Amino acid sequence: MSKRKLSRRQLWRIDKIQQEREERARRSAQRAEGALQEGHLGTERTGLVIANYGTQVLVEASDDRTLRQRCHLRANIDPLVTGDRVAWRPAVDGAAGSLGVVGARLQRHSELQRPDRYGDLKTVAANIDRIAIVIAPRPQPFANAIDRYLVAAEATGIKPILLLNKIDLIDHQNREALAEILQPYPQLGYPVIRLSTKTGEGLPQLLRTLAQGTSVFVGQSGVGKSSLVNALLPDAGARIGALSQATLKGTHTTTAAELFHLPGGGDLIDSPGIREFGLWHMSEQSLLEGFVEFRPYVGRCRFRDCRHQDEPGCAIAEALQRGAISQRRMNSFLHLRNSLQRQN
Ligand code: GDP
Ligand code: ZN
């Protein structure tokens, strides 16, 4: 990934922001050590990071959802994001403003990353089990846009599913096109759940699907992600607001990811940044490997630099002819690859 050239002034600003961030982290770590020495802390237990505020995080005890505390981080701890599991010690004296201390980050089984504005990949949430790609009859879905989300999900190793929202808007004009667009997915291992946040149809099935593990909702603007979060968690908006006020005094409130427990079991991590997952540059190799049904043929073409279009001995073209790859997915792949080339 190429980095943009930065002006001297920009570099100076980045440097300054970095210094300030380090200073805040140092002070927070000092307070953490202070709290440890003063002995206002309970015994160490495991917890879950519900929200991350830079030098502090909100932690929930793994064995007691009613125990939630803001925590300082010990020095030299691995960086934390929402969804991280941690070893922590809660504050016990109950004094207003007393904070717990996080001592260590536990191992992650997955990471959701996105590029920061300098093009470096940054983890924004951890331990996600499912990426739910939301689409709708309106705004009109495009096959290659759906495939682009799937490719991005495949690159993380997290299981994607498709949610067709607004099924109340399906009519004789869009029914066939929608069916055609969605047709390849179930047999590729991507379940499609149909629902309407407006009528409530399909929501019970969605809750059952989300009842295990941690999910995120992604998808283009207007497909109904906010409506969906509100339908599943009526008081989520209010809670985010309260949390932000109590802990943040207005900084970074709109981008911080937050973890919610769903009413039917399972968790949801949500933030505006997470919803935009997958809309950035990807490499040609991850594009190719992100089409799961292409994988058995990758590296099997006669020519190592095969473009998979008209070359003799192309393993992917042969699979297409045999019907092991659908024309619809092949078109999508070629479209996405051509748009990658135009970007480069
Ligand atoms: P987001 O940009 O993905 O968060 O989408 P929003 O939740 O803001 O929804 C975009 C628009 O779609 C809003 O006007 C919603 O009221 C509408 N909407 C959401 N879900 C449904 C649905 O199931 N049916 C219909 N007809 N409209 C919906
Ligand atoms: Zn080929």
Side-chain angles (χ1 to χ4, degrees):
M1 197 165 293
S2 70
K3 291 189 188 179
R4 262 190 281 149
K5 271 231 168 94
L6 302 169
S7 72
R8 264 218 320 222
R9 186 168 170 74
Q10 281 171 315
L11 286 171
W12 174 82
R13 271 229 312 273
I14 294 165
D15 224 37
K16 187 156 154 2
I17 290 168
Q18 185 61 24
Q19 274 171 20
E20 284 168 2
R21 192 176 292 149
E22 278 165 16
E23 179 58 22
R24 278 200 304 274
R26 199 181 54 76
R27 281 201 304 267
S28 181
Q30 252 171 15
R31 281 194 287 268
E33 300 310 318
L36 285 169
Q37 270 161 27
E38 286 160 28
H40 297 314
L41 298 171
T43 52
E44 187 169 88
R45 52 207 294 175
T46 59
L48 176 62
V49 175
I50 300 294
N52 169 19
Y53 305 119
T55 60
Q56 293 177 1
V57 293
L58 181 68
V59 175
E60 179 187 276
S62 298
D63 57 358
D64 177 6
R65 284 188 177 180
T66 65
L67 177 57
R68 283 187 171 198
Q69 274 185 10
R70 265 200 295 158
C71 292
H72 289 303
L73 313 179
R74 289 200 77 173
N76 304 322
I77 186 175
D78 292 317
L80 297 179
V81 295
T82 300
D84 263 322
R85 305 200 171 267
V86 294
W88 72 301
R89 293 176 61 188
V92 288
D93 61 2
S98 57
L99 271 65
V101 170
V102 177
R105 184 179 90 193
L106 306 184
Q107 200 177 352
R108 294 173 173 167
H109 71 72
S110 71
E111 294 185 330
L112 204 69
Q113 295 183 314
R114 60 171 300 151
D116 62 16
R117 66 196 132 134
Y118 314 110
D120 297 319
L121 282 179
K122 203 171 159 254
T123 301
V124 291
N127 300 319
I128 311 279
D129 300 287
R130 185 180 301 105
I131 296 176
I133 301 162
V134 186
I135 57 170
R138 280 201 294 276
Q140 190 194 343
F142 291 99
N144 50 54
I146 300 173
D147 289 328
R148 196 180 204 300
Y149 279 113
L150 288 169
V151 165
E154 288 294 341
T156 65
I158 303 169
K159 183 183 162 50
I161 65 170
L162 294 169
L163 304 186
L164 174 61
N165 184 30
K166 308 196 196 183
I167 53 171
D168 57 291
L169 297 182
I170 295 180
D171 57 28
H172 67 280
Q173 286 185 326
N174 58 27
R175 184 182 310 274
E176 250 175 68
L178 277 172
E180 201 171 308
I181 276 194
L182 295 172
Q183 189 272 329
Y185 296 120
Q187 70 215 52
L188 293 174
Y190 304 129
V192 181
I193 296 177
R194 291 154 209 268
L195 69 144
S196 165
T197 55
K198 192 169 171 185
T199 65
E201 198 182 341
L203 284 180
Q205 196 210 332
L206 176 62
L207 281 172
R208 278 197 298 278
T209 304
L210 304 182
Q212 253 89 49
T214 302
S215 305
V216 293
F217 293 146
V218 307
Q220 84 175 101
S221 168
V223 293
K225 297 179 297 299
S226 309
S227 313
L228 195 47
V229 172
N230 288 336
L232 298 175
L233 305 160
D235 54 345
R239 249 188 303 165
I240 293 177
L243 235 168
S244 316
Q245 272 172 16
T247 52
L248 274 174
K249 304 189 184 80
T251 49
H252 301 299
T253 45
T254 53
T255 52
E258 189 167 358
L259 184 143
F260 303 98
H261 300 304
L262 291 164
D267 295 330
L268 175 71
I269 297 186
D270 192 38
S271 79
I274 286 175
R275 291 178 183 186
E276 287 169 13
F277 168 79
L279 298 179
W280 49 80
H281 185 82
M282 56 179 85
S283 73
E284 207 168 310
Q285 190 61 24
S286 50
L287 182 65
L288 191 57
E289 283 167 6
F291 281 77
V292 281
E293 72 276 40
F294 290 21
R295 284 182 190 165
Y297 314 105
V298 173
R300 298 276 169 102
C301 302
R302 183 179 308 164
F303 302 113
R304 266 186 54 190
D305 58 350
C306 185
R307 307 297 297 155
H308 322 301
Q309 279 182 295
D310 322 298
E311 290 89 340
C314 171
I316 287 178
E318 279 162 17
L320 178 70
Q321 258 163 22
R322 276 205 319 279
I325 289 175
S326 73
Q327 188 63 53
R328 157 66 184 76
R329 290 269 287 174
M330 188 68 196
N331 292 347
S332 203
F333 167 72
L334 294 174
H335 175 96
L336 291 171
R337 195 193 51 200
N338 293 342
S339 63
L340 271 188
Q341 279 172 335
R342 277 197 301 279
Q343 281 168 30
N344 287 341

